[in-house]
Amino acid sequence: MNEQCYRAVIAWFNARPAAKQAAYLVSRGAVGAVYLLYITLLVILAWQRNPLWFGAAGVPAAAFVVGTALRAAIDRPRPYVTLGYTPLFPKKDTGCSMPSRHCFSAAAIAVAAWGCSVPLGIVLGVLAAVIALSRVLTGVHYISDVVAGLAFGSGFALVGWQIALAALRVCGL
């Protein structure tokens, strides 16, 4: 998207308070739902003493640490800084736009959850896509930021999950 597209989308939402409120609720709600479902999964796995807990907890945590370091190294300016507009919900951050941390976290959680429960993984994958769309529509990320976030989180988690499963096999769990 270019400056004109971001401005048009943001103007459309600003002219429609109900749509702006809905965008806010969807954006925050999708993030909240991902974390609520993820914590619930971890609690259930821990309660069951399921060894998959280690992968389900460790893989997204590792993705978060590595992804955050990657963001800092790239330090891409936010689109509202580069293109000079105010996002739908103003932020103070000026950099670290690529890859989107919301997106790579949600994608890594979805892949790890998929390894424990396919239906839950699907739900979390859909929520990750909703988060990606909301980050672009609210003007805080470029499309490439969210695509990179989804790809990084998914790819990292796919590899990490295989390593976690191999480690569990070696340990006889």
Side-chain angles (χ1 to χ4, degrees), residues 10-148:
I10 290 167
W12 186 90
F13 278 106
N14 280 329
R16 293 162 181 83
K20 183 176 180 176
Q21 181 65 22
Y24 180 82
L25 293 173
V26 167
S27 176
R28 296 290 185 207
V31 171
V34 166
Y35 290 117
L36 179 65
L37 290 170
Y38 179 54
I39 290 167
T40 302
L41 172 66
L42 292 179
V43 168
I44 290 169
L45 292 173
W47 180 266
Q48 296 172 342
R49 299 177 197 257
N50 188 324
L52 291 178
W53 181 90
F54 296 102
V59 170
F64 182 84
V65 169
V66 173
T68 298
L70 180 62
R71 280 166 51 98
I74 295 170
D75 197 22
R76 180 182 193 183
R78 301 278 177 158
Y80 54 84
V81 172
T82 303
L83 302 175
Y85 64 87
T86 301
L88 191 59
F89 308 113
K91 294 180 61 79
K92 294 179 183 176
D93 299 337
T94 59
C96 294
S97 187
M98 161 86 82
S100 165
R101 185 167 32 211
H102 281 88
C103 291
F104 71 67
S105 295
I109 288 168
V111 169
W114 180 285
C116 302
S117 166
V118 172
L120 180 59
I122 291 169
V123 168
L124 288 167
V126 169
L127 287 169
V130 168
I131 290 168
L133 181 60
S134 75
R135 303 302 287 168
V136 173
L137 289 179
T138 59
V140 297
H141 281 290
Y142 292 103
I143 293 171
S144 57
D145 296 340
V146 300
V147 170

